[in-house]
Amino acid sequence: MIRWKAVVPGLVTLGLVVVFAVFFLDWTVEWAIEKAGTTMNGARVDLAGVDISWRHASVTLRGLQVTDKAAPMTNALEVETMSFQLAVKPLTWMKVIIEDGEILGVRTGTARKSSGAIAVKTAESVPPKGDGPTAVATAKKPGLPTADLKAQFDPKKIRAEDLESYKMAMGEQARVTAAADQWERTADGINVDGKVAEAKAFLDRVKATSYSGAAGAKKAAEDAKEAQKLQGELRQLTATVNAAKTSITAETAAAKGTVARINEQKKKDVDAELARFGISSLSTEGITRAVIGETWFGRIESGLYWFRKIRAMMPAKKAPPPVRDGRNIEFKFHYKWPAFWLKKARISGVTAGENPIEYKGALTDVTSDPKLVGKPIMLVIDGGKGSRSLHLKAVLDYTQDTARETVSFRYSGMDLAGTQLGDLGGPVSIKDGKGTLKVDLSTRGEAVAGTVDFNAQPVRLANDMSPEQVKQKMMAVLHDTLTGLKRLQVTIVLGGKLTSPSFKVKSSMDSAFKSAVGAVAQRETAAARAAAQARVNGLVDGERDKIASAITGKSGKALGKLGVKASSLSSAQAQVDKVIEDLKKKGTSSAAVGGAGGALKGLKRK
């Protein structure tokens, strides 16, 4: 009664599935997580092991290590164990719903036994600009200038083709010249003379006409009607002239704005040329950025980059289905699960450093379809030890079409000894001190806003310079000022977009450096800036002035022509208006006496 030819293949297939699940599934999941994580992170992601329990419907990941891409011998994140309790029913529908989880032993900045860097095989595998962190730390930072800027800076090396203001002037020159030519064509294209001549001929005819008796009254009425038509045409033509004047005036103002933008860009070009020789580093903000270190700015950008990564994993906005004939019949289904949903997971870990802080928290509503779940992803962490405390709250809201993220972070009582900062002629580090870090960040769509506040007091900084550097007056002043600081307070204001964030830096070091290096810097930079400005002016002003000449010359001519035409129309319209009044009086008279000459005396003048 049993059809073995049909049953045996099914049993064999089921047996193979069971064997795979028992012997190979853990390894396969481990490989898939490492592969996907490494691709996303751009550096190695390792797992010590994966345990899947079918009996308890649970998954345990052990020994997760996520390499810091900027420091391949360091883990950006290390987790001892991650245990997840799965809902069974959704698994039958190929949905992974984690009812409860536990993430234990979270640590950051731990050392690796081997490098986590991955090889870049081809140039095409390097992410294009805008697809990854800017990695400011790897960019070549202009060095601080010595006391002899003349040997470093030669304004003759500034080339026109390298200046954005020159490119702008050349690009706008053709556009503005074409617009200016059009202004004259517009003014010439309005035929005022013909209509004014027509009005003059009409006025002359009326002046020569005698309006008497009933026939005169009738003739006056007919001429009044013709005059009203002429009056309407003159008014319409006047409106055309006035509209042309308004348009040309507005376009002239916009074109003058182009000249102003070129002038502003010239200033930026001067700054850029000075920066090529490190001269911009003498600015207060330049010195502050050098002390902080571009690596730290790169870390902020990397954090914003992960927002973009997470957004990319969210489902795209679906296009509305095409309209078809017929009727849709919805089949009700009680369950609406996303493909993945971690409802909640407890977190515990310790901070990096010799005196770590233990913390606990929760991660909730991590899902592949936030709109379906209707809840934002939320991470909350709190911890403390003595006078030190840690708090983090991150809300990633992708439930609407416009993504929003907010992050609030507080870390007080940080042990700063040995912290590496930037480079001010030599490496800068914190010898000892305690500090507080506050981060408030928010995004809405592509817009970014927030502040990063760091305060350390008391603090001692170290700045390692070679003997040759210390002999240089400028470097010696910078070194002495930096190492003499007892307090360090830095505020970084974030703005711009996720793909291109901007940073404005304010610091307690500003006044100290300004007074210490002001005298030296002012003389050096003022001379270099004047030379650079003169060179840029010589390359750009000629092309810019061509734009200004086209604007003032041709707009003046066009507006002058339109002014004459408006005046001529106004005079003709006034005369026609008066004739209309006189003709209406004559038309209502039962017996007009005399001609229209007396009434029209003086109306011949334009």
PDB file of all heavy atoms in Angstrom, residues 389-401:
ATOM      1  N   SER A 389      30.433  58.547  35.595  1.00  0.00           N
ATOM      2  CA  SER A 389      29.133  58.080  35.118  1.00  0.00           C
ATOM      3  C   SER A 389      29.109  58.051  33.593  1.00  0.00           C
ATOM      4  O   SER A 389      29.861  58.766  32.925  1.00  0.00           O
ATOM      5  CB  SER A 389      28.008  58.975  35.642  1.00  0.00           C
ATOM      6  OG  SER A 389      28.143  60.294  35.132  1.00  0.00           O
ATOM      7  N   LEU A 390      28.207  57.225  33.086  1.00  0.00           N
ATOM      8  CA  LEU A 390      28.066  57.044  31.638  1.00  0.00           C
ATOM      9  C   LEU A 390      26.588  56.948  31.305  1.00  0.00           C
ATOM     10  O   LEU A 390      25.830  56.235  31.973  1.00  0.00           O
ATOM     11  CB  LEU A 390      28.781  55.773  31.185  1.00  0.00           C
ATOM     12  CG  LEU A 390      28.584  55.331  29.725  1.00  0.00           C
ATOM     13  CD1 LEU A 390      29.229  56.313  28.787  1.00  0.00           C
ATOM     14  CD2 LEU A 390      29.143  53.930  29.510  1.00  0.00           C
ATOM     15  N   HIS A 391      26.171  57.691  30.270  1.00  0.00           N
ATOM     16  CA  HIS A 391      24.786  57.622  29.809  1.00  0.00           C
ATOM     17  C   HIS A 391      24.760  57.765  28.292  1.00  0.00           C
ATOM     18  O   HIS A 391      25.417  58.643  27.722  1.00  0.00           O
ATOM     19  CB  HIS A 391      23.937  58.737  30.431  1.00  0.00           C
ATOM     20  CG  HIS A 391      22.581  58.851  29.818  1.00  0.00           C
ATOM     21  ND1 HIS A 391      21.556  57.964  30.084  1.00  0.00           N
ATOM     22  CD2 HIS A 391      22.070  59.743  28.909  1.00  0.00           C
ATOM     23  CE1 HIS A 391      20.491  58.308  29.378  1.00  0.00           C
ATOM     24  NE2 HIS A 391      20.769  59.375  28.658  1.00  0.00           N
ATOM     25  N   LEU A 392      23.981  56.898  27.672  1.00  0.00           N
ATOM     26  CA  LEU A 392      23.804  56.963  26.220  1.00  0.00           C
ATOM     27  C   LEU A 392      22.351  56.665  25.889  1.00  0.00           C
ATOM     28  O   LEU A 392      21.773  55.700  26.382  1.00  0.00           O
ATOM     29  CB  LEU A 392      24.695  55.937  25.509  1.00  0.00           C
ATOM     30  CG  LEU A 392      24.424  55.724  24.005  1.00  0.00           C
ATOM     31  CD1 LEU A 392      24.727  56.980  23.211  1.00  0.00           C
ATOM     32  CD2 LEU A 392      25.211  54.536  23.464  1.00  0.00           C
ATOM     33  N   LYS A 393      21.779  57.520  25.038  1.00  0.00           N
ATOM     34  CA  LYS A 393      20.452  57.261  24.500  1.00  0.00           C
ATOM     35  C   LYS A 393      20.468  57.581  23.016  1.00  0.00           C
ATOM     36  O   LYS A 393      20.745  58.713  22.617  1.00  0.00           O
ATOM     37  CB  LYS A 393      19.383  58.100  25.198  1.00  0.00           C
ATOM     38  CG  LYS A 393      17.970  57.796  24.684  1.00  0.00           C
ATOM     39  CD  LYS A 393      16.912  58.577  25.432  1.00  0.00           C
ATOM     40  CE  LYS A 393      15.510  58.238  24.913  1.00  0.00           C
ATOM     41  NZ  LYS A 393      14.458  58.992  25.617  1.00  0.00           N
ATOM     42  N   ALA A 394      20.190  56.572  22.213  1.00  0.00           N
ATOM     43  CA  ALA A 394      20.159  56.742  20.758  1.00  0.00           C
ATOM     44  C   ALA A 394      18.800  56.281  20.250  1.00  0.00           C
ATOM     45  O   ALA A 394      18.348  55.178  20.581  1.00  0.00           O
ATOM     46  CB  ALA A 394      21.272  55.934  20.094  1.00  0.00           C
ATOM     47  N   VAL A 395      18.153  57.134  19.478  1.00  0.00           N
ATOM     48  CA  VAL A 395      16.849  56.816  18.884  1.00  0.00           C
ATOM     49  C   VAL A 395      16.976  56.945  17.369  1.00  0.00           C
ATOM     50  O   VAL A 395      17.262  58.034  16.855  1.00  0.00           O
ATOM     51  CB  VAL A 395      15.746  57.746  19.413  1.00  0.00           C
ATOM     52  CG1 VAL A 395      14.409  57.395  18.769  1.00  0.00           C
ATOM     53  CG2 VAL A 395      15.649  57.673  20.928  1.00  0.00           C
ATOM     54  N   LEU A 396      16.774  55.834  16.673  1.00  0.00           N
ATOM     55  CA  LEU A 396      16.850  55.812  15.206  1.00  0.00           C
ATOM     56  C   LEU A 396      15.445  55.575  14.672  1.00  0.00           C
ATOM     57  O   LEU A 396      14.928  54.457  14.740  1.00  0.00           O
ATOM     58  CB  LEU A 396      17.808  54.711  14.724  1.00  0.00           C
ATOM     59  CG  LEU A 396      19.164  54.638  15.435  1.00  0.00           C
ATOM     60  CD1 LEU A 396      20.011  53.526  14.829  1.00  0.00           C
ATOM     61  CD2 LEU A 396      19.896  55.963  15.364  1.00  0.00           C
ATOM     62  N   ASP A 397      14.849  56.629  14.177  1.00  0.00           N
ATOM     63  CA  ASP A 397      13.448  56.572  13.760  1.00  0.00           C
ATOM     64  C   ASP A 397      13.354  56.492  12.243  1.00  0.00           C
ATOM     65  O   ASP A 397      13.597  57.474  11.535  1.00  0.00           O
ATOM     66  CB  ASP A 397      12.710  57.811  14.278  1.00  0.00           C
ATOM     67  CG  ASP A 397      11.202  57.711  14.076  1.00  0.00           C
ATOM     68  OD1 ASP A 397      10.758  56.744  13.418  1.00  0.00           O
ATOM     69  OD2 ASP A 397      10.469  58.588  14.563  1.00  0.00           O
ATOM     70  N   TYR A 398      12.983  55.308  11.747  1.00  0.00           N
ATOM     71  CA  TYR A 398      12.803  55.098  10.312  1.00  0.00           C
ATOM     72  C   TYR A 398      11.361  54.710  10.005  1.00  0.00           C
ATOM     73  O   TYR A 398      11.089  54.046   9.003  1.00  0.00           O
ATOM     74  CB  TYR A 398      13.756  54.013   9.813  1.00  0.00           C
ATOM     75  CG  TYR A 398      15.190  54.279  10.181  1.00  0.00           C
ATOM     76  CD1 TYR A 398      15.918  53.368  10.956  1.00  0.00           C
ATOM     77  CD2 TYR A 398      15.832  55.439   9.781  1.00  0.00           C
ATOM     78  CE1 TYR A 398      17.228  53.620  11.311  1.00  0.00           C
ATOM     79  CE2 TYR A 398      17.133  55.699  10.138  1.00  0.00           C
ATOM     80  CZ  TYR A 398      17.836  54.782  10.896  1.00  0.00           C
ATOM     81  OH  TYR A 398      19.145  55.040  11.246  1.00  0.00           O
ATOM     82  N   THR A 399      10.453  55.120  10.897  1.00  0.00           N
ATOM     83  CA  THR A 399       9.051  54.763  10.707  1.00  0.00           C
ATOM     84  C   THR A 399       8.351  55.660   9.686  1.00  0.00           C
ATOM     85  O   THR A 399       7.256  55.344   9.253  1.00  0.00           O
ATOM     86  CB  THR A 399       8.292  54.849  12.048  1.00  0.00           C
ATOM     87  OG1 THR A 399       8.408  56.192  12.572  1.00  0.00           O
ATOM     88  CG2 THR A 399       8.893  53.883  13.066  1.00  0.00           C
ATOM     89  N   GLN A 400       8.989  56.788   9.334  1.00  0.00           N
ATOM     90  CA  GLN A 400       8.441  57.703   8.333  1.00  0.00           C
ATOM     91  C   GLN A 400       9.366  57.746   7.121  1.00  0.00           C
ATOM     92  O   GLN A 400      10.471  57.206   7.148  1.00  0.00           O
ATOM     93  CB  GLN A 400       8.285  59.110   8.924  1.00  0.00           C
ATOM     94  CG  GLN A 400       7.455  59.166  10.197  1.00  0.00           C
ATOM     95  CD  GLN A 400       6.015  58.741   9.984  1.00  0.00           C
ATOM     96  OE1 GLN A 400       5.428  59.024   8.927  1.00  0.00           O
ATOM     97  NE2 GLN A 400       5.429  58.067  10.964  1.00  0.00           N
ATOM     98  N   ASP A 401       8.908  58.404   6.068  1.00  0.00           N
ATOM     99  CA  ASP A 401       9.731  58.498   4.857  1.00  0.00           C
ATOM    100  C   ASP A 401      11.007  59.291   5.111  1.00  0.00           C
ATOM    101  O   ASP A 401      12.043  59.015   4.509  1.00  0.00           O
ATOM    102  CB  ASP A 401       8.931  59.150   3.724  1.00  0.00           C
ATOM    103  CG  ASP A 401       7.818  58.244   3.210  1.00  0.00           C
ATOM    104  OD1 ASP A 401       7.920  57.019   3.408  1.00  0.00           O
ATOM    105  OD2 ASP A 401       6.852  58.763   2.622  1.00  0.00           O
TER     106      ASP A 401
END
